[in-house]
């Protein structure tokens, strides 16, 4: 999608320079749309020393620059702005071919990254849902507050780490054997090993729910008293 935006902004920029009816300010808007966000994000990654953010954003910035140059040169060529002598033609052909190759390489890289992100997102949704389902089988009042899933490695050496905060009701325990069994069940949805880490917090769930109901009832009673007071006050005022 980012490459498509860069390609579109290149077309808009060249046409704005070519056609006097189109405002030249569109060129700045178009380029800032495709170049400034990844470059700014790369700067954030550099300042925060986050290698992944810096490399990913800077790679996108370079890809957008190449896309803009490639499409811009191609459109100008189609608009008859072509080199005249053989040396310039050769240099133009080398430039177009080189930028096209880099554009394809970046496109493949981004497509692979997109596939990985879709895969991880789907895996996160499945594992989170299954973890909650299996825990509810143990006890229906078990609560899951937060689940984080990390995937490392490729293929058979892939390792999925699941870290979750779990609230157990009173008089309920969760043994190491149960946790290992849960890991093996979740392993059916992944390729490699599953490392499950549950941060167990024992809490009086039923007591908390009862207190919550009492607070809701008290809140409704207070609201009713206030509404009755204002209704009586307004009636007296109208009389």
């Amino acid at each position: 999608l980012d490459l498509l935006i860069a390609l579109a902004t290149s077309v808009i920029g060249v046409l704005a320079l070519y056609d006097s009816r189109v405002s030249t300010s569109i060129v700045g808007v178009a380029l800032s749309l495709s170049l400034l966000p990844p470059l700014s994000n790369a700067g954030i990654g550099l300042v925060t020393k986050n290698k992944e953010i810096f490399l990913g954003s800077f790679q996108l910035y370079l890809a957008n620059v190449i896309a803009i140059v490639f499409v811009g040169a191609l459109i100008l060529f189609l608009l008859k702005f072509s080199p005249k002598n053989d040396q310039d033609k050769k240099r133009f052909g080398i430039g177009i071919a080189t930028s096209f190759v880099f554009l394809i390489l970046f496109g493949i890289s981004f497509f692979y990254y997109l596939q990985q992100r879709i895969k991880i997102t789907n895996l996160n949704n499945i594992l989170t849902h299954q973890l909650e389902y299996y825990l509810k089988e143990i006890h229906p009042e078990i609560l899951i507050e937060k689940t984080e899933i990390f995937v490392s490695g490729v293929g058979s050496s892939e390792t999925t780490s699941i870290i979750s905060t779990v609230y157990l009701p009173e008089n309920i325990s969760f043994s190491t054997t149960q946790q290992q069994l849960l890991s093996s069940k979740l392993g059916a949805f992944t390729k490699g090993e599953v490392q499950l880490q549950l941060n167990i917090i024992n809490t009086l769930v039923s007591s908390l729910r009862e207190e919550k109901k009492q607070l809701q009832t008290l809140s409704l009673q207070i609201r009713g008293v206030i509404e009755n007071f204002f209704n009586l006050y307004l009636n007296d005022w109208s009389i």
Side-chain angles (χ1 to χ4, degrees), residues 36-52:
L36 284 183
L39 191 60
S40 301
N41 207 45
I44 293 172
L46 190 62
V47 170
T48 57
K49 298 179 180 179
N50 190 315
K51 184 179 178 181
E52 184 179 355

Side-chain angles (χ1 to χ4, degrees), residues 151-175:
V151 180
S152 59
V154 180
S156 59
S157 61
E158 184 177 279
T159 302
T160 304
S161 302
I162 305 173
I163 304 173
S164 183
T165 302
V166 178
Y167 291 91
L168 296 181
E170 63 275 21
N171 302 323
I172 296 296
S173 60
F174 199 81
S175 65

Side-chain angles (χ1 to χ4, degrees), residues 39-72:
L39 191 60
S40 301
N41 207 45
I44 293 172
L46 190 62
V47 170
T48 57
K49 298 179 180 179
N50 190 315
K51 184 179 178 181
E52 184 179 355
I53 289 178
F54 171 74
L55 291 177
S57 301
F58 195 69
Q59 182 184 11
L60 178 59
Y61 168 75
L62 290 178
N64 286 352
V65 169
I66 292 172
I68 290 171
V69 171
F70 172 75
V71 174

Side-chain angles (χ1 to χ4, degrees), residues 168-213:
L168 296 181
E170 63 275 21
N171 302 323
I172 296 296
S173 60
F174 199 81
S175 65
T176 306
T177 305
Q178 286 177 306
Q179 187 163 326
Q180 291 174 349
L181 180 61
L182 192 55
S183 298
S184 63
K185 286 183 177 181
L186 294 173
F189 300 93
T190 63
K191 289 183 179 179
E193 179 187 0
V194 172
Q195 296 178 351
L196 179 63
Q197 178 184 333
L198 297 180
N199 300 321
I200 305 296
I201 300 176
N202 291 98
T203 179
L204 301 176
V205 177
S206 58
S207 299
L208 290 174
R209 287 184 175 177
E210 186 63 31
E211 290 179 4
K212 187 177 180 180
K213 288 181 180 179

